Amino acid sequence: MSHQNNIFSIGLDDRDRLNKELGGGIPTGSIVLMEGDYGAGKSAISQRFTYGLCETGKSVTFLSTELEVKGFVDQMNSLNYNVEEHLLFENLLFLHGDLDSGGVLSSDPDEQNRQDLLTDLMDEETIWSADVIIIDTFDAILRNDPKFEALVRENEERQAALEIISFFRNVISQGKVVILTVDPSTVGEEAIGPFRSIADVFIELEMIEVGNDIRRQLFIKRFAGMGEQVGDRVGYSVRSGVGIVIENRSVA
């Protein structure tokens, strides 16, 4: 088997250089952690991954804690990532994590009947059947899970994180990829630390002020199993009607 067969290309080589900048794609059997503050572009990068993966023939599950399906399709269209056919032909499964109603897939508003979000998530086999599973944002699920909240109060969040990681490791042992986006300002170090430690690919999305401009860049902190060489920093912008654009300049 060639090394290239161990990489999921994120495609769109004729539109941007992101696939090339990431060494040809995402290694199979990987947990990918993307961290960034609000507005850093976590969702846009995740949506770029989603569209590119679907375009290369991979199946994707996208679980959003913020967008419902219409908002997701509208946002993808605004970036010229048209996913209607991928949704129609079930190459892409989109799910809205309805945290307000008390469950990732539940609509039961009764607090007493609220399922544990993480248990609900892990028990839903359909989610994990795709080649790539993207959860945007994972910290929202952690923060709204009643069991995890209780463990945080008892300073036992690290143990809870390790149990989740064990589940993810079982998923990626099948050659799948799990991508998690996290806003680190919303969860404690004890909760997010274990995910940082075990992530095969760890990317920080940075926003840096340069004069009157705000420049965005991917800071590649870890990239195990890379195809070609991966740079430390990749500058990018998000443009309406175009999508992700790789900029020639990054800020050290």
Side-chain angles (χ1 to χ4, degrees), residues 2-14:
S2 69
H3 184 68
Q4 195 65 28
N5 288 335
N6 297 323
I7 302 287
F8 284 164
S9 169
I10 58 171
L12 305 189
D13 292 328
D14 59 337

Side-chain angles (χ1 to χ4, degrees), residues 1-244:
M1 177 182 293
S2 69
H3 184 68
Q4 195 65 28
N5 288 335
N6 297 323
I7 302 287
F8 284 164
S9 169
I10 58 171
L12 305 189
D13 292 328
D14 59 337
R15 287 185 52 175
D16 62 46
R17 302 196 314 273
L18 185 58
N19 193 55
K20 182 178 180 180
E21 294 287 350
L22 296 182
I26 305 170
T28 60
S30 295
I31 295 174
V32 179
L33 180 66
M34 289 199 299
E35 282 192 15
D37 293 335
Y38 179 81
K42 298 184 298 295
S43 292
I45 293 290
S46 298
Q47 290 160 6
R48 161 64 180 86
F49 280 8
T50 297
Y51 182 63
L53 286 160
C54 287
E55 287 288 290
T56 62
K58 299 298 181 290
S59 58
V60 178
T61 295
F62 192 106
L63 172 61
S64 173
T65 60
E66 298 177 349
L67 297 173
E68 296 186 9
V69 64
K70 184 181 185 303
F72 173 73
V73 171
D74 287 347
Q75 193 166 99
M76 294 291 273
N77 284 338
S78 75
L79 298 173
N80 200 19
Y81 300 150
N82 304 309
V83 293
E84 286 92 339
E85 285 193 3
H86 293 302
L87 289 165
L88 181 63
F89 292 105
E90 300 184 347
N91 198 28
L92 171 61
L93 171 64
F94 175 83
L95 296 169
H96 169 55
D98 191 359
L99 303 182
D100 291 336
S101 69
V104 174
L105 301 173
S106 168
S107 58
D108 187 350
D110 189 339
E111 179 73 20
Q112 292 183 338
N113 292 332
R114 186 171 74 159
Q115 296 187 44
D116 296 335
L117 302 183
L118 290 164
T119 300
D120 190 20
L121 178 68
M122 291 186 286
D123 285 348
E124 187 56 49
E125 294 182 3
T126 305
I127 292 175
W128 310 101
S129 62
D131 297 318
V132 180
I133 301 93
I134 299 175
I135 303 178
D136 178 43
T137 61
F138 184 60
D139 60 276
I141 294 176
L142 292 180
R143 289 183 285 107
N144 286 276
D145 181 85
K147 183 183 293 184
F148 196 87
E149 287 175 339
L151 289 170
V152 168
R153 288 193 294 270
E154 298 170 7
N155 296 317
E156 295 290 339
E157 59 264 53
R158 178 171 289 270
Q159 180 58 39
L162 293 175
E163 293 177 10
I164 303 164
I165 288 166
S166 177
F167 173 81
F168 287 155
R169 282 293 186 204
N170 182 59
V171 171
I172 67 171
S173 70
Q174 305 167 51
K176 300 176 184 293
V177 170
V178 174
I179 300 175
L180 309 172
T181 73
V182 172
D183 181 345
S185 68
T186 66
V187 287
E189 173 63 32
E190 286 297 309
I192 197 61
F195 294 97
R196 289 173 174 159
S197 297
I198 60 86
D200 302 288
V201 177
F202 180 17
I203 302 173
E204 283 189 353
L205 281 66
E206 300 177 323
M207 294 186 294
I208 300 171
E209 291 188 18
V210 179
N212 294 325
D213 295 332
I214 295 179
R215 295 183 183 171
R216 292 179 169 85
Q217 63 184 15
L218 306 177
F219 179 17
I220 313 299
K221 305 194 75 170
R222 186 183 310 124
F223 208 108
M226 68 180 73
E228 304 298 329
Q229 185 63 35
V230 176
D232 290 341
R233 285 178 166 86
V234 180
Y236 73 96
S237 59
V238 182
R239 300 185 188 177
S240 179
V242 177
I244 298 296

